[in-house]
């Protein structure tokens, strides 16, 4: 959504971003309940929440810059790869969490 908006300026591209801003915290809380019996997984979830907030902040900053007509600044922020680094780390944490859950399921 962010990419489409930055390229086109069409706010319809922001629908997935707007939904994510609402849904991601809900899903984190849902996961917290499901993982309540596993401290290691809760620590990973805490790290994932921190990264998710940072990623949403980065997305929000680029969107705000574009809305303010500061397109070059928005693109410079994207080019910094900060957002990509957040996503790479989030994917890594999620993979660790999935692997742990798969192992626990096999053990049970």
């Amino acid at each position: 959504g962010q990419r489409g908006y930055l390229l086109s300026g069409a706010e319809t591209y922001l629908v997935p971003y707007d939904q994510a801003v609402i849904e991601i915290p809900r899903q984190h809380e849902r996961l917290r309940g499901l993982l309540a019996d596993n401290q290691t997984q809760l620590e990973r979830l805490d790290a994932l929440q921190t990264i998710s907030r940072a990623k949403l902040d980065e997305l929000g900053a680029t969107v705000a810059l574009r809305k303010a007509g500061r397109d070059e600044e928005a693109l410079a922020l994207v080019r910094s790869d900060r957002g990509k680094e957040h996503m790479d780390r989030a994917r890594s944490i999620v993979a660790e969490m999935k692997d742990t859950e798969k192992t626990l399921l096999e053990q049970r």
Side-chain angles (χ1 to χ4, degrees):
Q2 172 217 32
R3 235 176 287 146
Y5 176 70
L6 293 179
L7 290 170
S8 70
E11 296 215 6
T12 56
Y13 282 98
L14 292 177
V15 171
Y17 164 76
D18 292 335
Q19 290 173 338
V21 168
I22 294 166
E23 193 59 31
I24 288 172
R26 286 182 187 163
Q27 292 300 321
H28 284 159
E29 288 312 307
R30 180 176 163 273
L31 282 171
R32 186 165 301 285
L34 293 170
L35 300 171
D37 65 337
N38 188 318
Q39 186 60 38
T40 300
Q41 289 289 68
L42 289 174
E43 289 169 8
R44 288 179 180 137
L45 181 60
D46 289 342
L48 185 59
Q49 282 183 283
T50 299
I51 291 165
S52 297
R53 278 192 290 273
K55 177 60 181 171
L56 289 174
D57 289 348
E58 178 262 335
L59 290 170
T62 61
V63 168
L65 287 167
R66 175 71 160 96
K67 284 183 178 183
R70 296 163 55 191
D71 299 5
E72 286 305 313
E73 290 175 66
L75 293 175
L77 184 52
V78 171
R79 287 185 193 113
S80 76
D81 284 340
R82 188 172 66 180
K84 181 185 178 314
E85 291 167 7
H86 294 316
M87 286 304 300
D88 289 346
R89 182 66 185 130
R91 285 185 193 99
S92 175
I93 292 170
V94 169
E96 290 172 10
M97 293 175 80
K98 287 171 73 174
D99 287 345
T100 296
E101 292 302 314
K102 182 179 176 187
T103 300
L104 289 170
L105 181 60
E106 289 170 357
Q107 290 172 352
R108 292 178 183 154

